[in-house]
Amino acid sequence: MRSVVRVVGVSWFSFVLLGFLVLTLLFVPGTARAQEPVAVRIPARELQADFAVLKRALEELHPGLYRYNTREQMAAHFAELQAALNRDLTIPEAYLAISTFTAKIRCGHSHANFVNQPKAVAAALTRGAGRVPFTFRWIDRRMIVTGSFAGAESLKPGTEILSLNGVPAGTVLDRLLTITRADGSNDAKRVSQLEATADYELGAFDVFFPLFFPLPDGRLQLQIREPLTGKKGALTVPAIPWERPRNPNPPPSPRGSDPVWAIQFLDADTAYLPMSTWALYDSKWDWKAALKQTFDDLARRKTANLIVDLRDNEGGQDVGDEILSRVIQKPLAAPAFERRVRYRKAPDDLIPYLDTWDPSFKDWKTAATDLGNGFYRLVREWESAEGDVIQPVGPRFEGKLWVLVSANNSSATFQFAQAVQEAKAGTLVGQPTGGNRRGINGGAFFFLRLPNSKIEVDIPLIGYFPAAEQPDTGVQPDIAVQPSAEDIARGIDRELATVRERIKR
C-alpha cells in the first residue's frame, strides 16, 4: 500500500518520463530487453508429467525400443532423462534433454523433430543468432566448406574450418553427436546428419549448434586452413537470420508444384538423374507421371547408362519401387523383412497426445496378428505376408543402372539401395549407406505432443525385422569412393567422375 501512495505522489511529468523510459527499455531495438527476452521456465512437476507420457508412449508403441538396447539399458536411459527433467527448465533446455535421450534409442526415425514443433517451441529454439553462412561436410572429422553465402564469400570450397569461436571443429562434432539420430552403430549416418546443406529446411547442425554453442553477438570467429595452399588464417562471418534460407536460391520445395528432379544427359550414352528427396507425401507435383515419362524417353533413346544420384536423399516415399519396375525383367521380391508393431489399438489415455495423418494407425484391427512375444505381425489388406513384390513395367530401360549412395540414405533410399544390390539390378557407388541391415523402424508415425512443454517427438510405429541375422551396418557400396577436401577445392565430383571413368572402360 505504501508503494502505491509513493507512485500517486509523483508529479505528472515524472510519471510520463518514467513511462517513456520503461517503453524504451521494452521496445527500442538494441536494448538488452529487446535482444534477450526473459526465458520462460517450465516447472519441474510439469516436465515430470511430460516424462511420464513420453515413457509410456515409447514403451507401448515403439517397435524398435529394444532392438539396439537391452531393457536394462533403456531403463537407465529413462532414469537419466527423468533426472534431467527434475528441475525447472526453459524450452531449449528441455528440448536438448529430450533430444539427448532419443539419440540413445539408436533409431534413425525417433527424435524431437524440429520441423514438427509447434510455433512457440520453434520460436524458442531459434531465438539465437541464426545459421552459419556456409555449407560444409565432414571428411575424416574435418569440417570442409562446400559453398558460402552472404557475408562469407571469401570462404572457398575446400577450406577447412579449424575452430568456431575458439572451439575446435572436432569438439563441436563430438558434442553434437550426443543428440544425433541413426540406426544402431551406423555412426557415419550420425556424422552426415551434422552437415550443413543448401537445402530449403533447417538441419540438425543449424538447430543444435547455437543451442550448444551460443552466438551472443550473431557472429562467428573462424580459424581456417585455405584449400590447396594449407595457409592458416582467421575470419569473422555473420550468422544468417533464421527467417532467411541459407541459400538465396534453394532447390524447389517438395511441397510445391514445381518439379523436384529432372533428367540430364552428360553425353549421348549417359543420363544423370539427381534426386535430392523422395519426401513427396503432400507434393502438388505429379512425380509418378514425370518419372514414367523419364523412363519412356530413356527406353525410346536406348540410353546405355543411367546414373541415379541419391547422395543427399534421406528417403520418403517408395520412389525406388517405380525405378526398379522399369529395370527388372521378372517380378522382384523386396528384401525379406517382417513388419511388426507393438500394439493392436493405441491406449486410450495416450490418444489425446497423438497426431498422425492416417487415423487407421490408432487401431490396426485385424491387420495386426498377435505373435505372443510382445509384438503383432502387421499385414494390411494391400500387402502380402511374404513382403512386397515389384512387378516389371514396360517399356524397360535396358541400359546399365548406377546408383550414387552415401550415409544420408537411411530410410526409403536405404531400402532401395539394398534391393538394387541384392537383385543385382545396378551398381552402388559411394560410401556405406545409413539405415541398418538389422532393420529400421518407420512406415507409419505418431507425432507425440507432450502436454506441458508442447515439445513434439516422432515415434515410428512399424518395425522391419529381417528373416535372418544381419550385421549392424548399412549397405556397403559395390564401388567404394571417398571424396577429399582437395576434390572439393578443385570442383571434382569424385563419385560421378568414378562412374564416368568406369563407363569409358
Side-chain angles (χ1 to χ4, degrees):
M1 189 66 180
R2 182 174 297 170
S3 61
V4 173
V5 172
R6 286 180 177 174
V7 171
V8 171
V10 174
S11 70
W12 177 85
F13 176 80
S14 299
F15 186 78
V16 172
L17 179 60
L18 178 62
F20 175 77
L21 290 173
V22 170
L23 290 173
T24 298
L25 287 173
L26 285 173
F27 299 111
V28 172
T31 63
R33 179 67 62 90
Q35 294 296 323
E36 300 292 340
V38 176
V40 175
R41 290 190 172 271
I42 306 166
R45 66 180 182 280
E46 295 184 3
L47 292 173
Q48 289 297 304
D50 282 1
F51 167 79
V53 171
L54 176 60
K55 183 174 187 289
R56 176 159 166 74
L58 289 172
E59 290 180 334
E60 292 290 331
L61 307 172
H62 198 300
L65 195 61
Y66 306 111
R67 194 196 294 264
Y68 297 107
N69 285 276
T70 64
R71 291 182 179 273
E72 292 73 22
Q73 288 170 327
M74 277 310 309
H77 298 330
F78 277 122
E80 290 171 1
L81 176 61
Q82 186 174 22
L85 298 179
N86 200 27
R87 60 189 179 91
D88 298 355
L89 298 176
T90 64
I91 287 176
E93 289 170 340
Y95 184 77
L96 282 177
I98 291 171
S99 296
T100 301
F101 163 77
T102 56
K104 294 174 183 175
I105 300 174
R106 304 171 79 195
C107 165
H109 287 91
S110 302
H111 62 131
N113 193 342
F114 176 81
V115 300
N116 287 338
Q117 300 304 320
K119 289 182 179 179
V121 172
L125 297 177
T126 56
R127 191 170 284 148
R131 38 187 168 175
V132 298
F134 55 89
T135 57
F136 69 87
R137 62 178 303 177
W138 295 99
I139 297 179
D140 296 330
R141 291 181 54 84
R142 298 163 61 204
M143 180 185 281
I144 306 298
V145 173
T146 56
S148 58
F149 303 100
E153 293 89 347
S154 60
L155 280 175
K156 303 303 181 186
T159 300
E160 180 180 0
I161 306 295
L162 301 173
S163 68
L164 304 89
N165 285 350
V167 183
T171 301
V172 171
L173 176 61
D174 289 337
R175 188 71 180 275
L176 296 184
L177 282 172
T178 63
I179 51 82
T180 313
R181 58 190 172 90
D183 295 288
S185 300
N186 198 334
D187 288 339
K189 171 62 179 179
R190 292 181 172 87
V191 172
S192 75
Q193 283 283 312
L194 298 172
E195 297 176 340
T197 71
D199 212 339
Y200 33 79
E201 289 182 342
L202 296 173
F205 185 88
D206 298 319
V207 175
F208 288 103
F209 174 70
L211 292 180
F212 279 114
F213 305 97
L215 310 175
D217 61 355
R219 304 182 73 78
L220 269 171
Q221 310 241 341
L222 305 177
Q223 295 293 321
I224 64 173
R225 179 184 287 122
E226 294 180 0
L228 303 180
T229 68
K231 181 181 177 182
K232 292 183 180 181
L235 184 66
T236 300
V237 298
I240 294 177
W242 291 107
E243 62 272 15
R244 294 212 321 258
R246 182 181 1 258
N247 182 358
N249 300 298
S253 168
R255 298 179 182 85
S257 56
D258 294 332
V260 177
W261 63 69
I263 196 79
Q264 305 169 27
F265 282 87
L266 305 181
D267 55 49
D269 294 325
T270 305
Y272 173 63
L273 182 59
M275 307 179 89
S276 61
T277 183
W278 288 351
L280 302 165
Y281 306 102
D282 52 0
S283 177
K284 299 177 180 62
W285 176 50
D286 190 347
W287 63 268
K288 285 191 176 183
L291 199 58
K292 177 182 183 303
Q293 184 63 53
T294 293
F295 275 93
D296 287 349
D297 291 344
L298 291 173
R300 176 180 54 80
R301 296 174 59 137
K302 299 186 184 303
T303 303
N305 295 279
L306 170 62
I307 304 171
V308 176
D309 189 347
L310 301 179
R311 287 173 291 178
D312 296 328
N313 191 330
E314 188 168 9
Q317 291 183 276
D318 290 328
V319 178
D321 290 357
E322 303 293 325
I323 297 173
L324 283 167
S325 72
R326 301 299 293 264
V327 301
I328 58 177
Q329 298 185 51
K330 57 184 179 180
L332 172 64
F337 286 97
E338 183 177 70
R339 299 179 184 89
R340 300 179 195 167
V341 295
R342 275 288 184 187
Y343 66 98
R344 176 173 285 144
K345 184 178 184 298
D348 290 339
D349 61 307
L350 290 176
I351 293 297
Y353 312 118
L354 303 177
D355 285 342
T356 187
W357 68 90
D358 187 338
S360 72
F361 299 164
K362 296 178 181 179
D363 188 348
W364 298 114
K365 296 184 168 54
T366 57
T369 303
D370 193 351
L371 294 174
N373 59 356
F375 283 105
Y376 294 81
R377 180 186 292 114
L378 184 68
V379 181
R380 289 170 286 189
E381 58 185 18
W382 63 88
E383 296 172 337
S384 164
E386 289 74 34
D388 296 330
V389 176
I390 302 169
Q391 299 293 336
V393 175
R396 179 175 171 268
F397 169 69
E398 296 184 352
K400 183 168 179 57
L401 175 66
W402 306 81
V403 184
L404 305 186
V405 296
S406 77
N408 285 315
N409 310 140
S410 57
S411 186
T413 46
F414 155 75
Q415 293 171 323
F416 172 68
Q418 187 174 15
V420 167
Q421 189 172 71
E422 292 188 4
K424 302 187 186 310
T427 301
L428 306 183
V429 180
Q431 301 87 52
T433 69
N436 204 294
R437 295 180 67 92
R438 284 191 184 176
I440 61 176
N441 313 297
F445 288 83
F446 281 143
F447 308 117
L448 176 70
R449 304 198 183 278
L450 300 177
N452 298 303
S453 66
K454 308 304 179 186
I455 292 171
E456 183 275 342
V457 178
D458 285 11
I459 299 181
L461 304 179
I462 303 174
Y464 296 82
F465 290 82
E469 186 68 25
Q470 297 290 328
D472 180 5
T473 182
V475 177
Q476 303 300 310
D478 302 303
I479 302 174
V481 180
Q482 179 64 56
S484 67
E486 290 71 25
D487 289 335
I488 294 172
R490 298 182 188 279
I492 298 172
D493 185 329
R494 182 57 60 191
E495 295 96 328
L496 187 57
T498 298
V499 172
R500 299 197 72 182
E501 180 60 32
R502 292 293 181 113
I503 290 173
K504 286 181 182 178
R505 293 180 188 176

